[in-house]
Amino acid sequence: MKKVGVIMGSISDFETVKPAIDVLKELGVPFEAHVYSAHRCPAEASAFARGARENGFGAIIAAAGKAAHLAGALAAQTTLPVIGIPVKSSTLDGLDALLSTVQMPAGIPVATVAIDGAQNAGLLAAQILAVSEPELAEKLDGQRAAMRDAVLAKDEELQKKL
Ligand code: RP5
């Protein structure tokens, strides 16, 4: 199976990014996680993205806060799918990172999840790989079924209270 690259702009982003890593671990998706800043070590960030396809990656998650250029900067160097996580790490509550990540100019797409939406980033990366991994697709279907059952169980509880 292809790997997922999980890149964060700073080690201070780690706790926010961790749910993406947890999802990948739970689903048995291979991954590598790195700290590469678009601003503080742009050469290393670019080199990772340029080599990602030949190094066995199938998707990249990029998490950054403030003027969050990381996802776009990585996407500029690869045609692998890039998923951006805007991180709430500033006085602007993550709105700055959301806009920086989501407002990509035409030609270089970044699939942006919610502010601090790392769990969905992990799931979306897994869904991308699952296009050609039937066993992974089955695991994802299983998770959806469990989610549905949990909601319907809560509905049943609610009906008893009413
Ligand atoms: C961004 O600036 C990082 O992604 C982080 O969210 C934010 C603050 O970084 P540190 O100053 O904590 O390293 O580049």
Side-chain angles (χ1 to χ4, degrees):
M1 195 189 306
K2 299 278 188 200
K3 293 178 284 186
V4 175
V6 182
I7 313 301
M8 59 207 91
S10 167
I11 195 63
S12 66
D13 298 322
F14 178 72
E15 285 306 320
T16 303
V17 173
K18 199 171 165 292
I21 292 174
D22 293 341
V23 164
L24 297 174
K25 281 185 176 168
E26 197 180 322
L27 291 166
V29 175
F31 68 93
E32 280 182 31
H34 298 282
V35 180
Y36 292 137
S37 165
H39 306 110
R40 293 166 176 159
C41 57
E44 288 75 10
S46 291
F48 173 84
R50 276 202 303 275
R53 188 181 293 277
E54 68 184 64
N55 288 326
F57 291 92
I60 296 173
I61 294 171
K66 298 187 175 173
H69 297 129
L70 183 62
L74 297 178
Q77 303 286 353
T78 180
T79 52
L80 290 177
V82 174
I83 302 161
I85 307 173
V87 175
K88 181 176 168 175
S89 63
S90 79
T91 47
L92 297 179
D93 276 345
L95 187 59
D96 45 358
L98 173 65
L99 297 178
S100 301
T101 306
V102 79
Q103 288 285 53
M104 285 298 291
I108 310 292
V110 166
T112 306
V113 296
I115 296 170
D116 289 355
Q119 189 185 17
N120 272 359
L123 287 169
L124 184 54
Q127 288 179 205
I128 289 166
L129 298 194
V131 167
S132 55
E133 296 286 346
E135 274 184 32
L136 180 56
E138 260 177 50
K139 284 185 193 172
L140 287 162
D141 285 341
Q143 282 190 346
R144 293 279 178 105
M147 212 183 299
R148 169 186 173 276
D149 291 348
V151 171
L152 295 182
K154 289 293 172 197
D155 180 60
E156 238 178 74
E157 277 175 36
L158 174 66
Q159 300 313 313
K160 283 176 196 154
K161 278 186 198 162
L162 298 176

